[in-house]
Amino acid sequence: MADNLKICFVSSEIVPFAKTGGLADVSGALGKYIHQKGHDIRLFMPYYSTIDTANQKLYPVEFLQNIPVEFGGFTITFSVFTAKLPNTAADVYFIQSEALYNRDTIYTEHSDEYLRFALLSRAVIVSCQYMGWGPDVFHCNDWQNALIPLYLKTHYGWDKIFAKSKTMLTIHNIGYQGIFSANVIDKLQLSGHRHTLPQEDLTNNTINYLKIGVLYADVITTVSETYATEIQTEEYGAGLDKLLRFRSDSLTGILNGIDYSEWSPESDPYIPHHYSMKNISGKKKMKKALLERMNLPFDANVPVYAVITRLTPQKGLELLHEILFDVLSYNELRFIILGSGDVKYVQFLERASSHFPDKLAFYNGYNIELSHWIEAGSDIFVMPSRYEPCGLNQIYSLKYGTVPIVRKTGGLADTVVPYNNGTKTSGTGFVFEKFNGDSLRWAMSYAYETFKNKDAWRKIMKNGMSQNFSWDKQADKYIELYALLSKK
Ligand code: ADP
């Protein structure tokens, strides 16, 4: 295995500093593992005003204060702060621009969103110049820093320090591409490079950051093998399928890993009762504690279904919308939903919980501690996603003996083995294929019936708990790819 690679890892979210979804978990864990394996990885993200600096102290980097970056007709200055990735010696660098990053949320709908993340891309490259550090690989993640490959070729092509640098773009979710009006091209200082931009977008008067990344990155990865295939189809490609087919030789899927030091029922710091495959009694205590906390009646024989999610159409909430009232009317079960997002789903779930106060509890918001409780205290985890690049909660669920119900798509298809009550052997969950309410209803009642058979259920739980999706293995795959790239 190659040693001492220089990796510049850029992400708009890294746990524990900023998180809205799986990208944060992946960035923090991958950063940690790559560093532990002896590589010089430096992580970069924006210095959002939402970062909890009372618990994580950030220190100014002396030689990276008030650095100007020229955009089209204006200058933005940034400063860099640093902290260690918790429990590691890996350095995280925070790009500070109060004008751009002092907002209530990480992502915004403000008119300068294009600039917030263009600055991130430029500031990372400029910081490397000031550090005198030419990375072997710039590892970009999602649209927020997908302009790096283009800027490296255009604005910074002259700098010999980057002569050997390669670029990798990881697509964590193709549903978000960073599409803006072409009016911003001048402001991005790209007006002299219009010929390098996808021409069909110019015709439509737009600029698409992710598409530019897909075009110019040396290698493209995504977060599961199935998703790597799916995004090359019209159904899942969100308009980028043609370009991805064109680049298919440079596209691979690497399944996300799990940081079991954060997500394991044996040592989870957030839960009051621990358990393992050998001694599972703590799970029953967690179920009781969870139901008490959510104000639902406890009965060991009644299954607890759970959902933890961003409330967006991607996550298949319309399927729940279609069947939830029926399912709750005709079955003795509990349902716990933790989520935040689209108002129409919030309203629907609030209605459902007031209609079934003894069966459904809905927590509207973002609560990391509660998410750990739910993983530990539930019996069944429901993920009926329309598409799912990788999905983390189904993998956490496997570890916590919380049997997942998933739709067969993306990473869900790659991580959950369908249970079959005929063969009763290696299944780890319940899998349905078609994106419709009836298919989900079928999977939920299949799980419901199987739950009554204690031996069968215990076997599925144990099959899941014995799976290993650790980052240790998956980080090696990234390192192999970095090494391969750096030799090109
Ligand atoms: P995505 O990145 O598409 O949101 P993933 O399954 O990859 O989906 O990752 C979601 C991550 O965000 C998981 O760690 C999950 O526990 C967490 N999460 C999602 N919604 C919430 C919430 N409302 N409260 C706490 N954690 C949440």
Side-chain angles (χ1 to χ4, degrees):
M1 179 100 6
D3 50 31
N4 208 16
L5 291 158
K6 290 177 282 177
I7 308 300
C8 175
F9 188 96
V10 193
S11 178
S12 54
E13 301 181 21
I14 302 173
V15 280
F17 306 105
K19 169 169 170 174
T20 69
L23 171 63
D25 292 353
V26 170
S27 302
L30 186 55
K32 176 167 112 181
Y33 277 87
I34 288 172
H35 184 266
Q36 276 171 2
K37 285 170 187 279
H39 301 284
D40 178 6
I41 183 167
R42 305 183 190 184
L43 298 98
F44 288 81
M45 63 175 284
Y47 189 154
Y48 304 111
S49 54
T50 50
I51 293 174
D52 175 6
T53 46
N55 284 318
Q56 289 121 5
K57 186 131 182 57
L58 313 190
Y59 299 91
V61 179
E62 297 289 319
F63 63 95
L64 284 167
Q65 297 299 303
N66 302 312
I67 311 285
V69 183
E70 287 301 315
F71 281 88
F74 58 97
T75 305
I76 296 197
T77 54
F78 72 92
S79 297
V80 180
F81 288 68
T82 188
K84 297 287 180 200
L85 198 56
N87 308 319
T88 77
D91 292 313
V92 185
Y93 294 97
F94 299 84
I95 306 297
Q96 190 203 43
S97 156
E98 289 185 359
L100 293 178
Y101 300 133
N102 282 20
R103 306 280 161 98
D104 293 343
T105 50
I106 293 177
Y107 306 120
T108 75
E109 310 243 314
H110 302 163
S111 58
D112 60 357
E113 191 74 350
Y114 80 93
L115 186 59
R116 298 178 74 227
F117 293 106
L119 175 72
L120 174 64
S121 300
R122 300 273 308 268
V124 167
I125 299 172
V126 172
S127 298
C128 291
Q129 289 178 312
Y130 275 72
M131 289 172 174
W133 189 63
D136 293 310
V137 180
F138 281 88
H139 186 166
C140 311
N141 292 279
D142 279 350
W143 72 263
Q144 288 86 356
N145 43 78
L147 291 183
I148 286 178
L150 176 65
Y151 274 132
L152 276 173
K153 286 189 166 59
T154 54
H155 294 50
Y156 304 96
W158 58 270
D159 194 338
K160 290 197 175 51
I161 201 167
F162 302 132
K164 289 194 172 156
S165 296
K166 297 291 193 303
T167 53
M168 178 189 288
L169 171 67
T170 299
I171 300 174
H172 297 261
N173 191 331
I174 208 162
Y176 301 87
Q177 297 181 5
I179 301 175
F180 303 99
S181 155
N183 294 338
V184 307
I185 290 173
D186 291 351
K187 296 176 186 150
L188 292 170
Q189 248 197 353
L190 288 172
S191 45
H193 303 278
R194 291 175 83 92
H195 61 285
T196 64
L197 304 176
Q199 299 296 297
E200 66 280 11
D201 291 344
L202 296 184
T203 310
N204 294 329
N205 207 28
T206 57
I207 177 170
N208 180 329
Y209 285 26
L210 190 68
K211 192 192 252 187
I212 292 169
V214 169
L215 199 56
Y216 287 108
D218 293 305
V219 155
I220 305 147
T221 73
T222 188
V223 290
S224 69
E225 283 178 23
T226 296
Y227 196 58
T229 309
E230 285 176 344
I231 56 178
Q232 296 180 58
T233 66
E234 205 179 332
E235 185 183 356
Y236 290 97
L240 299 191
D241 46 293
K242 197 167 153 211
L243 181 57
L244 286 162
R245 288 197 296 277
F246 174 69
R247 296 231 48 203
S248 61
D249 287 351
S250 308
L251 168 65
T252 40
I254 301 177
L255 191 72
N256 283 336
I258 295 300
D259 189 351
Y260 287 124
S261 67
E262 278 282 310
W263 290 95
S264 160
E266 291 170 47
S267 55
D268 188 322
Y270 292 103
I271 58 175
H273 307 291
H274 292 104
Y275 57 92
S276 65
M277 212 158 75
K278 285 203 187 94
N279 182 358
I280 213 157
S281 57
K283 186 163 178 68
K284 193 165 162 191
K285 290 188 191 145
M286 272 311 304
K287 178 168 172 174
K288 201 157 182 237
L290 175 67
L291 288 168
E292 217 164 87
R293 177 172 177 168
M294 304 308 287
N295 279 323
L296 293 173
F298 168 75
D299 179 338
N301 294 318
V302 171
V304 178
Y305 291 68
V307 170
I308 301 170
T309 190
R310 292 181 294 116
L311 299 172
T312 67
Q314 178 202 336
K315 301 295 182 176
L317 289 149
E318 68 246 51
L319 302 192
L320 275 181
H321 186 258
E322 202 179 315
I323 66 166
L324 196 59
F325 271 68
D326 262 13
V327 168
L328 292 170
S329 299
Y330 303 123
N331 298 290
E332 185 53 12
L333 54 81
R334 310 281 175 259
F335 216 122
I336 294 173
I337 300 181
L338 165 62
S340 56
D342 293 5
V343 178
K344 63 176 176 187
Y345 298 126
V346 170
Q347 286 172 345
F348 156 65
L349 292 169
E350 280 173 347
R351 239 184 8 258
S353 68
S354 60
H355 210 269
F356 299 97
D358 287 339
K359 288 188 173 174
L360 175 77
F362 169 49
Y363 182 107
N364 176 18
Y366 200 89
N367 187 328
I368 290 179
E369 186 219 9
L370 181 58
S371 73
H372 287 250
W373 274 57
I374 293 176
E375 282 294 358
S378 311
D379 297 300
I380 298 166
F381 197 89
V382 186
M383 276 180 93
S385 307
R386 180 182 283 282
Y387 72 91
E388 195 59 74
C390 174
L392 294 175
N393 277 112
Q394 84 282 10
I395 315 182
Y396 301 152
S397 298
L398 292 170
K399 194 69 186 169
Y400 283 76
T402 302
V403 177
I405 294 177
V406 301
R407 182 168 165 257
K408 191 176 176 198
T409 183
L412 300 176
D414 293 353
T415 52
V416 180
V417 181
Y419 171 73
N420 175 335
N421 67 6
T423 55
K424 290 193 174 66
T425 47
S426 59
T428 58
F430 296 86
V431 181
F432 67 98
E433 218 163 310
K434 295 269 180 273
F435 187 77
N436 59 45
D438 283 341
S439 301
L440 174 59
R441 192 199 310 263
W442 168 84
M444 285 178 69
S445 56
Y446 193 176
Y448 190 81
E449 290 309 317
T450 311
F451 181 79
K452 293 178 188 160
N453 178 341
K454 294 275 174 273
D455 290 342
W457 197 258
R458 183 60 68 92
K459 177 90 176 83
I460 305 172
M461 284 170 72
K462 288 201 164 167
N463 286 344
M465 292 177 87
S466 58
Q467 301 287 309
N468 180 3
F469 290 98
S470 97
W471 265 118
D472 199 32
K473 248 181 354 189
Q474 299 312 97
D476 283 344
K477 296 187 182 166
Y478 278 98
I479 292 166
E480 266 168 44
L481 209 51
Y482 295 150
L484 208 69
L485 254 181
S486 67
K487 286 196 193 101
K488 276 195 178 164

